[in-house]
Amino acid sequence: MTTLLKLRPDSSSSVCSAVERVHAVLDSVAQSAFEDRADVALVAEWERAIRRMESVKLRLIAAADRSSVAAASGLASTGAWLAQQVRADQAESARTVRLATALDVPTSAAATALAQGVISAEHARVVMHALDQLPAQVSALQRGEVEAALVKSACELSPARLRRRARRALETIQPDPAVVDAHENSVVLDEEERARERTRLTLHDNSDGTVTGHFTVPTLHGHLLRKVLETMTAPRRARLGATLAQTGDRSERSDWDRARGLAFCELLEHLPTDRLHGKIAATVVVTIDEDGLRDRLAVAGLDTGEVISAGEARRLACGAGLVPLVLGGASLPLDLGRSRRLFTEAQRTALATQHQSCAADGCERPFAWCEMHHRQPWAGEGPTDLANALPVCHFHHRRLHDQRYDHRISEGGSVSFHQRT
């Protein structure tokens, strides 16, 4: 049985009773047998219950902060007090306290949604951070409108995707796209500056033939490295059914951490030390309109799915490793008809304006990792032009050609699959 910590004599009786009942229920569940299929359907409901309990915990932390419990305990902050209570890291505890105090507002839509279990604490953190980044002139009523819109999005998106949506939160109350673009650019620019401040690299010789390292770099440079490593590890090595000599050790490719580690070693061995100030090692497609590239404050999109500030895009434009996709400028030939089977880099670059990820419904693999598929097969007289191109990840590209599955392409270009009976 679970042993409860001794509660304060003046603790709320309803809260004490509730936590005792929760522990009693969990004790009974711990002794239960789980059926393979019947119980797994309850995962979503258990997650909602966990989120509701997280809401109660945050309310308790906010109450502790209001009552100055840290000072009474001789500690420097509520975060330090929380870290001591739950034996957690102080930095993470401080983040939790900040979220608890931010949600401690009677009119908070995020707090209400969290209490209902329809969003997570991480969703709520994204929402409150976005509200903090709104311009000072935004009224309390407008802040409420923005918060309500973000909470609605949080019910449908993961925290990572919500974070991207939240950068343009101002568009809920601001009809001028230029103002929204400028605000988004300002938010991304702040993120880039904070990232540079936190950038670190540490190396430790383990004296056993290995060196262990840890690094923190800005998102742009992390995606540059990721793209290089994914490019080195993702391509097919041979046709299906090829011999082991042709394909290599399968375990080396199925253990992705090891595969990326080996690719990183290969990358280091091939660094051009004779021209360290040459072109950027990885080619990144940056999508931005002509006005934005010149002087307008609008973010630019990377083909890895992230965004960078306008200033960062203009800086990168000086490097030969950047492929700028400037909308409104001179275009490259994109329709090669039947003269060639493979899509060109120009076509791939143009397709990046239509798709940010794999075209398969629900797949979030970034466009940069996708292969080009002919909607109408080239062998069946399908042309190699932009209208016939579809970006799909390796897994879904194989599924498109798997005779055990049917697929349907919607008017918007999304692909859904169904197993044949």
Side-chain angles (χ1 to χ4, degrees), residues 220-292:
L220 168 64
H221 302 88
H223 279 262
L224 285 171
L225 178 59
R226 179 190 292 273
K227 190 170 181 181
V228 170
L229 298 180
E230 291 286 352
T231 300
M232 296 172 70
T233 57
R236 301 187 185 98
R237 292 183 177 177
R239 67 186 184 280
L240 292 176
T243 64
L244 182 63
Q246 179 69 19
T247 61
D249 184 2
R250 181 177 179 81
S251 65
E252 177 184 314
R253 290 178 285 119
S254 59
D255 183 348
W256 290 109
D257 288 343
R258 182 187 176 204
R260 282 188 290 266
L262 293 173
F264 187 51
C265 293
E266 183 179 349
L267 175 65
L268 292 174
E269 289 179 2
H270 290 83
L271 287 177
T273 56
D274 59 327
R275 48 185 179 87
L276 292 178
H277 299 286
K279 73 177 237 182
I280 296 170
T283 298
V284 176
V285 179
V286 179
T287 305
I288 189 170
D289 62 37
E290 189 173 10
D291 290 338

Side-chain angles (χ1 to χ4, degrees), residues 308-390:
I308 57 176
S309 65
E312 191 76 340
R314 285 192 282 270
R315 181 186 71 80
L316 285 178
C318 298
L322 177 80
V323 176
L325 182 58
V326 183
L327 305 182
S331 62
L332 294 171
L334 299 177
D335 188 346
L336 301 180
R338 296 278 301 163
S339 63
R340 294 182 59 174
R341 181 176 66 84
L342 301 179
F343 290 99
T344 67
E345 284 301 311
Q347 289 171 311
R348 184 182 179 90
T349 298
L351 200 61
T353 65
Q354 302 173 20
H355 297 269
Q356 292 185 340
S357 61
C358 171
D361 185 30
C363 183
E364 297 183 358
R365 294 285 287 179
F367 179 87
W369 304 348
C370 291
E371 303 168 357
M372 298 298 103
H373 171 74
H374 289 76
R375 295 191 186 204
Q376 179 185 351
W378 188 83
E381 302 300 316
T384 303
D385 60 30
L386 194 59
N388 197 40
L390 199 67

Side-chain angles (χ1 to χ4, degrees), residues 95-162:
R95 290 180 73 236
T96 302
V97 172
R98 286 196 296 271
L99 176 60
T101 54
L103 292 173
D104 192 27
V105 180
T107 58
S108 173
T112 300
L114 180 58
Q116 295 171 347
V118 295
I119 68 172
S120 68
E122 191 58 34
H123 283 111
R125 182 175 282 111
V126 174
V127 172
M128 304 315 292
H129 182 63
L131 295 180
D132 287 341
Q133 293 178 312
L134 290 176
Q137 63 268 26
V138 172
S139 68
L141 180 61
Q142 290 175 318
R143 285 174 61 88
E145 293 178 22
V146 172
E147 183 178 8
L150 288 173
V151 168
K152 182 178 179 180
S153 295
C155 295
E156 304 170 352
L157 303 175
S158 66
R161 296 180 66 186
L162 178 65

Side-chain angles (χ1 to χ4, degrees), residues 5 69 73 75 79-88:
L5 295 175
V69 67
S73 304
L75 296 169
W81 169 84
L82 177 62
Q84 184 183 76
Q85 294 296 309
V86 299
R87 295 177 295 281

Side-chain angles (χ1 to χ4, degrees), residues 23-87:
H23 280 297
V25 169
L26 292 176
D27 284 337
S28 65
V29 170
Q31 305 302 320
S32 301
F34 289 86
E35 299 177 19
D36 291 345
R37 295 187 178 182
D39 296 325
V40 294
L42 296 174
V43 168
E45 279 304 307
W46 273 105
E47 174 62 24
R48 192 166 78 89
I50 291 170
R51 293 175 178 182
R52 297 188 69 184
M53 288 190 287
E54 184 76 10
S55 170
V56 175
K57 184 186 79 172
L58 291 171
R59 289 176 60 193
L60 289 170
I61 293 171
D65 186 69
R66 290 195 307 271
S67 63
S68 302
V69 67
S73 304
L75 296 169
S77 65
T78 308
W81 169 84
L82 177 62
Q84 184 183 76
Q85 294 296 309
V86 299
R87 295 177 295 281

